[in-house]
Each structure stands twice: as structure tokens, then as C-alpha cells.
Amino acid sequence: MIGPVDTFKTEVLEHLSSLEEVLLELEPHPEDVELVNTAFRSIHTIKGAGGMFGYHDLTAFTHHLETVLDQIRKGEIIFSSDLIGIFLDSGDFISGLLENTDFSDAQKSDSQVLLDRLHSLVGQNNNEELIEIEEPPAKSNAGSLTCFNIKFTPHADSFKQGLDIFPILREIHSFGPCAVSTEANIFNDFENFNPEESKLTWSVILVTSELVTSIEDTFMFVDDDWTINIEEQRIDDLPLDLKESLNLLSSNISENIQSTIQSTIQKTPVSDIDLKDSSNTSTKSNAVDPTIRVPASRLDKLMNLVGELVIVQARLNQVAATEYNENLISIAEELDQLTTQMRDQTFSIRMLPIGTTFGKFRRLVRDLSKELSKKIELITIGGETELDKMVLDKLSDPLIHLIRNSIDHGIESVEARTSVNKPETGSIILTARHADSHVVISIRDDGKGLDTERIKTLAIERGIIPPGIELTHSEIHQLIFEPGFSTAKVISDISGRGVGMDVVKRSIQELGGSISIKSEQGEGTEFSVRLPMTLAIIEGLMVKVGPEFYVLPLSNVEECIEMSSRNRQQNSSKRIVEVRGEQIPFLMLREWFEVTDPRPLFEQIVITHIGEERCGFCVDEVIGQYQTVIKRLGKIYQGAKGFSGATILGDGSVAMILDPAALLEAAGREYSAKNINLKLAK
Amino acid sequence: MSNVAFKNGVVSLPSDMTIFSCKKVYDDLKALNIDKSSSLTIDFSNVDEFDGAGMQLLMAYTNNLIKNGLDVSFSEYSDQINQLLNYANFFDAVAQMEKL
């Protein structure tokens, strides 16, 4: 179960992520009021929630940020780039504070450094104390004053859960004059009083220009468990004496008003209020966002169970088909439909838009370009493209590395760019799009492109290729993915620390994906990462080669054709099949897997596409479509090329899942190696 | 040990008046031998930490004292504690208890 404190931490991190995104948007558009308001809301929420969960140092720190943001909203301060830098650093600082409620000595010192930087830019408002702010923040709209009757009953365990009432009351007080009351006379039996259990119901009459949503936000971390009722009425509708008295209120409440409030409360029992369905009544417990938080590990378990279910389903289908029992077949078909729906629903739960990670890339580009004194703009396209959460999590590091490479090695300095008539500001375009059942992410920069001569020289120096070998530009570009390769002349903080593109490539391959590169000297470089949408289940085409079954991802399959006798007679290493006038190379899988069984009389070629290229795989037999649960291969099979995993068949045997791109790459590599040896021999 | 003390008509609250120690404070308050006919002052001078659980306990205890006929007053609360008590309108709640 996720406790309230964990929820708080998660939501703070979400607010920080949103804040970072907004700040980066604000840098080129500092006058955008809506963005400033969004930043203010994030900081305000972190501050309020921090106080509620006992993070008082955090609350005090964020209060300074909130004050400055408020001044920016009022137009008293301009959101300069330096100021944005401080807010970004403050966001980083806050994200490291969530483990303990109080600052350590080092954190206190760090917070002071940040605040000193902040105040050196904007000055400090000396009239303000850290936390004990009494003035209502100037966040109200210019509408008329409204009176709210707020009634809330904390959950009995709220104290034990670390949910205090004071931050709530403090927040409500900050909205405007209010009268708070509770029924303390419920404590009639002190002998049997349980001090750890929250017993009180609180009632507040608040006069404010705030909208009801602001008041609802006060309860955002407790609205699932507490009974909360916010009833709104215009202040003009209040009795005159109460109206006058409220206007006179500053901090204390007159007995007259107290009794009026008490009588109001008595006239309206809790149960009546809670059940009231009025258009101007907001009952938080019923008006919450219909989403729930569950730990990712539970989703993983669910996914695994669905995977097992799919395997059992396949087995049932197989048994039903062999038993020729119509009843069994009917049940199996019905269950098959349900299993497919369940699989798809479970699959969709784990899908996240890739744009959720774009924020950190923008930050990376901003910080590194400043550090390297380069001008770089990051353009993102297709942030809504969805990807399995697990893939997304593991993809982050490789993408960061690729972007760092573009910033460090790709985009030139301002001087270098202007000298070749390029715009001062370089661009990195990050694009995500769906292609079949894959997602293709490309990182394209308009920098200097890869220096093929230098790559080749270095590859020879490092013993990656022998001297004298002739390679195409594309083949030379591929060398940067070789282990230990680095073109950086000087090891910088950005790259060149020995963790190179080979690690990026391996990480992507571990995700069942592939990476390709296109580069034009002087024009720029484009890395394309092709990934499966999920790591869990695929639709496959089962084929047989010798005694073994294999599965090809159906998303790659275009068609199956019978192998002609002419093709069967080809013995050269280059095998080509003609399909409707197009020459398509194919790989004999029985040769690749060194199958010694006799060849069947008729063979099939499965035509697939990998990206924009087409290629075929010759198999003994095409069995048919098969829904496949991917089981990762263990470390012992890490060296096995051409497989993305394995699956368990209905009869309990294992079938390997082929990765057409990796298979072709391995075959191509073998062919190139033979070719290189041949050239060297000549 | 919560360090609740009673001397010369003054109940001194401990430094920690939060959920973490309220059970112990409650037991200690119950154990005090208070003369029911006298007035009593609740002294906040030692209180460093105060949360909703502490305030609820204080309300319940005050209510119990008032019910038993004691005239209860409060002393030595810091500005910060005073502010928290004002947020909850504590003193008016006590006034209501006295009326009942």
C-alpha cells in the first residue's frame, strides 16, 4: 500500500518535474503569465504539503521561492535567465530533501547558498518571516468576496499517518478572515480518551476572494480519507451582522460570531451536509480525480500473470484443437477473446507518453549548452507517442547519452557556426513516432556531422579495424558503436569518459531495439532508435526450422511465399528472391542455425521489413500466427545474436523469438568479416 | 518520560506535545493528583513541538479540568504556539467549554 507520505513524495517529484518544464518554457517567454502561475502553483503546493507532512525546513525554503514567484506575477520582478537558473537549481535541491523531514547541516548550508543567490538578484523582503506568513497571498482573482462554510473531519488515524490539521488551518487562514470552531465538548470521557486518534470535526467560516478550487487544493493530500465539505455562498447573502462582524475580524473571533457559527453548525448536521447535493456545494471526497496510484511493481506482477495466462491459453487452444471437442473449442475461443482483451488492457495501463521524459532532456540541453558556451535549441515532436513504462525507464539513459553526444560533438560553437554561415543557434530535433508495433525515436542535430577520416584513423589506432581496409562512409559510421571508441580529443565533463556509444547500443539492444546512424559532414547527424512498444507480449508468426520452432514478430512480417526450385538451387552466400519484380535478399535459417536434418521438399520464405528495408527468412514450414509472451534470455545467452527472447509453447517446449534486425546485422557482420578477410587475402 | 510536572497549581507541559509522545503525556496527565477545588494554570514554557494531536489532548484535558470545576488558565506560550492555538481558535473553544 502507498502511504500518504509516499504519495506526498511522489507528487512533489511530479510538481518539480512540471516546474522544471515550465521554467524551461519561461526562459524564452518570461512574460507568459500563465506559465508563471503554473510555476507558482507547483511551489505553493509543495510548500503547503510540506508543512502538512512535517517538512518544515522545506516549507520555509519554498516560501522564499513562492514569494519571489508572487512578485513576478505582480510584475514587480522580471523572470530573468539567472533567476530561472536559481529556480532550476532549487528544484534539484528540493528533490534531494524528501528522505528526511528536517534539513541536515549540509542541506541547511546549501539552502542558504541558494537563498543568498536568490536574494542577491531580487532582494529580500525583510518584513516577512520564514513560515509564519499571515498575509494572504495575492493569488486571488479580482472577483467579489465569497463566504465559504468549510467543514472537515480528519480520519481517525490521520495523526498516526503524519497528517496534521495545523497546515490545513494555516492555509485556510492565509485565504482571508475566518472563524474556526470545533466541538471540544465531545471529550466527555477523559479516562478512556485515546490521544492518538483524531476525534474532532472542524468548521470554518471563511471570507475570501479565492475560488473554491483553491480551498479544495488545501485538502488535496487528504481528500481520500477525510470527510470534507465546502459550501459556498456569496457574502452578500450573509446576515448583515455577521457580514459586518466578519469584516471587522482580524485574528480573533467575537463571541457573537462564534455563536452564530455554532448555531449554523448545529442547524446542519454532518450527515446532512455530506449527503447534500447542491450545485454550489463541493464535496471533495466525491469530486476527486478518478485515478488511483498503484506501485509499478504491482503492474509488473499483473503483466507477468497475464503473460502466464496467455501461455496457458495457447496450451488450451492447442489441446482443444487436437481433441476435436466442439464444446472445448467453443470455450477456448471465448476465453481466447477475453484473454486478448485482458492482455491489451493490462498492456495499455503500462503505456506512458514519451513526452514525460522530454522535460529532463530540455534541462540537459539548457545546462550543457550554457556550460559549453553553445547556443542550442531542443525541438521535440511526438511527445504523445506511448511506450511501455519499463521501456521508457530504461530508455532514458541511452537517450541522454545520445543528446549529450550531439551537444558535445555535434553542434559547433557559435563562432564555428557563423564562420560556415550556419545560424548561431544549433538545433537538436527529438522526434518520436509509431512505426508498426514499434516506436522510432530520432535525435537529429544540425552540427558538423561525423568526421569519417578521423573515425577511421582512430579505429585503426585502436585496432578495431586493420589498416588499409576500404570501408564505405556508412560502415565507418558504424565503428563509433564499437567498444572503447571515442573521438573526443579532450576528455570533457560531457562525454569521453569511456562510456561510449557501444553502451548505448547495447542498452537499446537489451530493450529489443536497434539503433542506426546517418551523418553528413557539415550537415549534421541523426540517430534513430527503433524499439518495441512493450517488452512483454508480441503477436508472432511461428515457423519451423529443422526440429525447432521459432517466432518472428508479426509486425515485421509482410508475406510468406514458397521457395522456387531456382532459389533452392542457389548455393552462393548471397541469396536473392524476386517478389513482384523486387529483388529481396533472404537468409537461409537452416544454414544459419546449422541444421543438419534433411531439407523438406517445399520451403517457405517469410518476407519481412526492417525499417524501410525488406528481407526474407527461409524456413522449413510456416505454422501460423501465435500470440507470444516474451521471456528474457538469461545472462548465459547474452552472446547469442539474433534473438529477442524465448517463449514457452502450449506443450511446454521452448521456442526462440527471432529479432530480424539483429539477425540480419549478425549475418551482415559475418558476411562483412568474410569479405574483409577476402580483401586482405588479395 | 514525558516530563509533565505539577507544582503550586501549575501543570507544566513537556517539550514534545506531538503524536509521538501524546500517549505518554496523556498517561502522565491522568496520573497527576490535581486538587479539584483550585484554579490551575497550564504552563507552555517547555513546549517546543506541538501538533494537532497535542492540541487535541490539550483540549480534552482542559475540558476534563473545567468539567471538574477548575478554573483553567494558560501561560508562557511562545508566539509560535500562540499562533497555532489561534489557528484552531483554541481559546474560544475553551470559553465554550466554560459556558457548558
Side-chain angles (χ1 to χ4, degrees):
Chain A
M1 181 185 163
I2 302 178
V5 177
D6 291 328
T7 305
F8 158 72
K9 288 178 186 175
T10 308
E11 296 203 5
V12 166
L13 292 176
E14 284 174 3
H15 276 291
L16 290 176
S17 171
S18 153
L19 177 69
E20 185 175 274
E21 216 159 293
V22 166
L23 290 169
L24 294 169
E25 284 285 311
L26 268 166
E27 197 155 28
H29 311 290
E31 72 292 340
D32 191 323
V33 178
E34 204 41 55
L35 290 175
V36 177
N37 282 336
T38 309
F40 181 90
R41 278 196 292 275
S42 292
I43 287 291
H44 178 73
T45 307
I46 292 170
K47 177 190 147 185
M52 182 177 296
F53 289 94
Y55 287 77
H56 299 302
D57 288 339
L58 173 66
T59 305
F61 178 75
T62 45
H63 174 67
H64 288 278
L65 303 180
E66 187 191 49
T67 305
V68 173
L69 282 170
D70 196 33
Q71 288 174 285
I72 293 167
R73 291 200 315 175
K74 290 173 184 167
E76 295 168 7
I77 302 171
I78 300 292
F79 224 147
S80 66
S81 184
D82 288 342
L83 200 50
I84 284 171
I86 294 171
F87 271 85
L88 286 170
D89 292 344
S90 299
D92 296 342
F93 175 65
I94 292 169
S95 65
L97 300 174
L98 301 176
E99 285 313 307
N100 298 307
T101 50
D102 296 323
F103 284 2
S104 65
D105 288 344
Q107 286 168 337
K108 277 180 186 159
S109 157
D110 290 346
S111 76
Q112 199 49 53
V113 169
L114 279 167
L115 292 178
D116 288 346
R117 280 174 63 197
L118 183 71
H119 292 137
S120 71
L121 273 181
V122 300
Q124 186 170 12
N125 186 351
N126 292 324
N127 295 328
E128 227 171 346
E129 289 299 318
L130 286 189
I131 313 175
E132 313 304 343
I133 181 166
E134 269 299 310
E135 281 298 309
K139 58 194 166 183
S140 55
N141 59 6
S144 60
L145 288 173
T146 311
C147 182
F148 291 101
N149 190 343
I150 306 161
K151 198 171 177 96
F152 62 94
T153 308
H155 186 271
D157 288 334
S158 56
F159 295 143
K160 286 187 238 175
Q161 291 169 343
L163 300 170
D164 199 5
I165 51 142
F166 281 133
I168 299 275
L169 292 172
R170 180 190 292 128
E171 182 84 0
I172 292 172
H173 272 263
S174 76
F175 290 140
C178 59
V180 179
S181 67
T182 188
E183 295 160 53
N185 54 2
I186 61 164
F187 303 121
N188 285 329
D189 186 8
F190 189 67
E191 281 303 307
N192 296 308
F193 173 68
N194 180 354
E196 293 179 334
E197 208 170 90
S198 179
K199 303 263 188 203
L200 293 170
T201 290
W202 296 87
S203 299
V204 184
I205 298 288
L206 168 69
V207 177
T208 180
S209 56
E210 289 292 333
L211 298 172
V212 68
T213 49
S214 300
I215 298 162
E216 286 172 348
D217 283 350
T218 308
F219 295 95
M220 70 162 66
F221 289 97
V222 294
D223 56 10
D224 284 342
D225 297 324
W226 293 18
T227 304
I228 303 152
N229 184 259
I230 304 168
E231 194 173 308
E232 184 185 327
Q233 58 185 124
R234 285 181 58 79
I235 196 166
D236 293 345
D237 299 336
L238 286 174
L240 189 62
D241 56 340
L242 181 60
K243 193 161 58 179
E244 283 176 358
S245 306
L246 278 167
N247 285 340
L248 291 171
L249 284 177
S250 55
S251 58
N252 295 320
I253 300 150
S254 72
E255 191 178 311
N256 181 30
I257 291 169
Q258 179 74 9
S259 62
T260 309
I261 294 159
Q262 284 292 0
S263 67
T264 310
I265 292 162
Q266 280 159 14
K267 280 176 198 165
T268 323
V270 180
S271 56
D272 290 348
I273 292 176
D274 287 344
L275 293 171
K276 195 183 283 181
D277 182 18
S278 160
S279 58
N280 62 352
T281 298
S282 165
T283 305
K284 282 289 287 186
S285 49
N286 293 330
V288 290
D289 190 347
T291 58
I292 55 164
R293 269 174 205 282
V294 289
S297 59
R298 281 197 197 174
L299 280 184
D300 292 342
K301 276 183 193 166
L302 179 64
M303 201 69 186
N304 284 339
L305 286 172
V306 171
E308 296 302 323
L309 185 65
V310 169
I311 290 171
V312 174
Q313 177 65 53
R315 195 170 169 190
L316 178 64
N317 289 348
Q318 198 170 341
V319 171
T322 51
E323 293 286 320
Y324 298 109
N325 181 330
E326 281 192 13
N327 285 336
L328 188 60
I329 291 170
S330 168
I331 293 168
E333 282 176 355
E334 208 169 316
L335 192 61
D336 195 35
Q337 283 183 358
L338 289 172
T339 307
T340 306
Q341 285 178 26
M342 190 171 174
R343 180 205 66 178
D344 291 345
Q345 286 298 319
T346 312
F347 174 81
S348 68
I349 292 172
R350 294 185 9 149
M351 298 301 275
L352 284 176
I354 195 170
T356 51
T357 59
F358 281 178
K360 83 168 87 160
F361 302 143
R362 267 193 281 275
R363 175 74 187 277
L364 179 76
V365 172
R366 178 197 184 272
D367 290 354
L368 291 191
S369 56
K370 274 189 187 298
E371 198 177 321
L372 296 171
S373 304
K374 292 181 179 179
K375 286 189 176 177
I376 304 172
E377 179 188 20
L378 178 71
I379 299 161
T380 56
I381 300 166
E384 70 287 349
T385 311
E386 288 189 329
L387 204 55
D388 187 300
K389 184 184 178 301
M390 195 188 285
V391 180
L392 204 55
D393 289 346
K394 292 183 177 174
L395 182 64
S396 183
D397 283 349
L399 287 184
I400 284 176
H401 200 91
L402 289 173
I403 294 171
R404 287 168 87 104
N405 261 285
S406 285
I407 298 169
D408 197 22
H409 303 307
I411 306 282
E412 313 90 329
S413 64
V414 172
E415 299 76 30
R417 288 181 69 84
T418 47
S419 69
V420 292
N421 294 326
K422 281 186 177 180
E424 278 189 2
T425 304
S427 65
I428 296 174
I429 302 173
L430 181 60
T431 311
R433 64 184 167 88
H434 283 296
D436 312 317
S437 65
H438 285 71
V439 168
V440 178
I441 299 158
S442 72
I443 297 122
R444 191 171 83 230
D445 68 59
D446 66 347
K448 60 190 171 201
L450 294 180
D451 185 343
T452 45
E453 280 309 309
R454 178 157 171 71
I455 292 170
K456 194 176 170 186
T457 309
L458 204 64
I460 293 167
E461 278 175 18
R462 299 274 162 95
I464 294 168
I465 53 168
I469 184 75
E470 279 186 25
L471 298 172
T472 63
H473 277 202
S474 175
E475 285 169 333
I476 293 171
H477 293 160
Q478 295 303 318
L479 295 173
I480 68 166
F481 293 117
E482 293 298 321
F485 191 91
S486 172
T487 57
K489 287 174 186 165
V490 180
I491 291 180
S492 69
D493 283 341
I494 318 303
S495 58
R497 289 199 177 275
V499 178
M501 298 296 285
D502 59 313
V503 177
V504 172
K505 185 175 184 180
R506 200 163 60 241
S507 305
I508 288 166
Q509 281 177 336
E510 279 170 8
L511 292 171
S514 60
I515 181 167
S516 60
I517 182 170
K518 279 185 201 165
S519 184
E520 202 65 49
Q521 206 153 354
E523 298 292 321
T525 305
E526 178 174 6
F527 291 98
S528 291
V529 177
R530 188 179 172 85
L531 290 159
M533 281 201 290
T534 178
L535 299 178
I537 294 173
I538 58 164
E539 290 283 347
L541 182 73
M542 192 185 287
V543 297
K544 197 174 180 192
V545 181
E548 303 290 341
F549 289 96
Y550 298 91
V551 177
L552 277 159
L554 202 59
S555 57
N556 291 104
V557 175
E558 286 190 355
E559 60 184 311
C560 302
I561 57 170
E562 197 167 300
M563 195 172 184
S564 68
S565 55
R566 188 168 62 85
N567 283 125
R568 279 172 67 85
Q569 285 159 12
Q570 283 182 343
N571 275 324
S572 70
S573 54
K574 272 188 180 176
R575 295 178 185 276
I576 304 288
V577 62
E578 190 175 313
V579 181
R580 291 183 289 277
E582 190 183 346
Q583 304 283 315
I584 299 171
F586 68 91
L587 181 69
M588 291 284 292
L589 285 183
R590 64 169 30 245
E591 283 178 7
W592 179 254
F593 293 127
E594 297 174 0
V595 176
T596 52
D597 289 11
R599 285 174 80 174
L601 206 54
F602 299 101
E603 289 169 297
Q604 306 270 324
I605 298 176
V606 181
I607 306 293
T608 64
H609 65 264
I610 300 154
E612 286 167 14
E613 290 175 15
R614 298 174 84 198
C615 67
F617 294 96
C618 180
V619 301
D620 290 0
E621 189 183 350
V622 173
I623 307 293
Q625 198 170 326
Y626 191 79
Q627 196 181 74
T628 307
V629 178
I630 304 174
K631 298 281 180 188
R632 298 280 116 199
L633 294 175
K635 282 186 179 173
I636 200 165
Y637 296 106
Q638 263 179 357
K641 301 290 180 198
F643 303 112
S644 58
T647 188
I648 300 164
L649 302 180
D651 62 359
S653 62
V654 172
M656 301 301 282
I657 299 168
L658 300 177
D659 178 348
L663 199 56
L664 278 189
E665 193 191 321
R669 200 179 284 253
E670 193 165 286
Y671 172 75
S672 298
K674 280 180 188 167
N675 223 19
I676 286 169
N677 287 337
L678 198 66
K679 284 178 186 176
L680 286 172
K682 280 179 184 172
Chain B
M1 185 66 192
S2 76
N3 294 324
V4 171
F6 176 56
K7 196 177 175 185
N8 299 330
V10 177
V11 173
S12 296
L13 297 176
S15 65
D16 187 359
M17 284 288 288
T18 68
I19 180 65
F20 299 108
S21 59
C22 64
K23 186 81 176 71
K24 176 70 181 147
V25 178
Y26 166 70
D27 290 338
D28 289 350
L29 287 171
K30 266 204 311 186
L32 294 178
N33 189 13
I34 307 281
D35 180 354
K36 291 186 178 178
S37 63
S38 65
S39 63
L40 185 137
T41 300
I42 294 177
D43 176 27
F44 283 78
S45 58
N46 296 325
V47 179
D48 293 325
E49 293 185 77
F50 192 65
D51 69 2
M55 196 204 52
Q56 180 178 272
L57 173 58
L58 185 64
M59 271 191 182
Y61 184 56
T62 307
N63 187 57
N64 186 52
L65 293 172
I66 291 171
K67 224 173 65 181
N68 286 318
L70 277 89
D71 182 12
V72 183
S73 60
F74 304 90
S75 71
E76 301 294 329
Y77 39 83
S78 65
D79 288 347
Q80 282 185 332
I81 299 283
N82 186 38
Q83 192 166 41
L84 293 178
L85 294 173
N86 280 333
Y87 284 147
N89 202 15
F90 173 79
F91 296 111
D92 278 280
V94 172
Q96 292 297 319
M97 291 173 201
E98 285 166 344
K99 279 186 177 178
L100 294 172

